[in-house]
């Protein structure tokens, strides 16, 4: 049976000298999501090893929660600030629920 959850992975490629600035903006966005979006089930970001990208892993209870996230004032503020710092557009990968048995390895 298909899950109503929406899973998203975002690959953001800041300009080389802007990685720390973009990471700080995403940290602030993450704090806002955690404080204000109860239907966002999972949301975290990290900088890849070679410091060329910020990767964000997101899980929403349903499509409505995903759409609401994009309409929040904190997301809009983030996009206004971070958009001009990117070397190329965001690569957003969306999917549905988790593969069977894969969620059993989460230890959060």
């Amino acid at each position: 049976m298909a899950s109503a959850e929406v899973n998203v992975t975002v690959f953001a490629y800041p300009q080389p000298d802007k990685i720390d600035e973009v990471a700080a903006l995403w940290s602030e966005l993450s704090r806002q999501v955690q404080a204000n979006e109860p239907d966002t089930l999972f949301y975290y970001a990290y900088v890849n090893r070679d410091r060329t990208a910020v990767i964000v892993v997101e899980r929403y209870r349903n499509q409505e929660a995903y759409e609401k996230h994009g309409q929040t004032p904190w997301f809009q503020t983030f996009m206004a600030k971070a958009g001009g710092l990117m070397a190329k557009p965001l690569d957003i990968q969306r999917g549905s629920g988790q593969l069977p048995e894969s969620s059993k390895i989460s230890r959060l």
Side-chain angles (χ1 to χ4, degrees):
M1 185 165 136
S3 171
E5 290 180 356
V6 176
N7 288 285
V8 179
T9 304
V10 177
F11 298 87
Y13 300 97
Q15 298 167 20
D17 60 338
K18 300 297 183 184
I19 189 82
D20 290 330
E21 191 173 346
V22 171
L25 289 170
W26 231 301
S27 290
E28 176 55 30
L29 177 59
S30 297
R31 282 189 286 279
Q32 292 291 335
V33 169
Q34 183 177 359
N36 297 294
E37 296 182 41
D39 289 328
T40 299
L41 305 175
F42 204 70
Y43 195 97
Y44 73 92
Y46 64 95
V47 174
N48 68 345
R49 189 174 290 182
D50 62 1
R51 297 184 50 77
T52 58
V54 176
I55 296 93
V56 185
V57 180
E58 310 171 26
R59 182 178 307 139
Y60 300 91
R61 187 172 310 283
N62 51 38
Q63 181 66 28
E64 181 182 7
Y66 173 69
E67 291 171 5
K68 283 182 180 179
H69 169 70
Q71 298 169 357
T72 62
W74 44 91
F75 181 80
Q76 297 298 318
T77 298
F78 167 82
M79 289 303 293
K81 291 178 179 178
L85 303 175
M86 298 297 167
K88 59 183 178 179
L90 299 177
D91 177 6
I92 302 171
Q93 302 290 319
R94 287 188 40 202
S96 57
Q98 297 173 339
L99 296 174
E101 302 299 318
S102 68
S103 65
K104 292 186 178 183
I105 61 171
S106 177
R107 292 180 176 83
L108 297 176

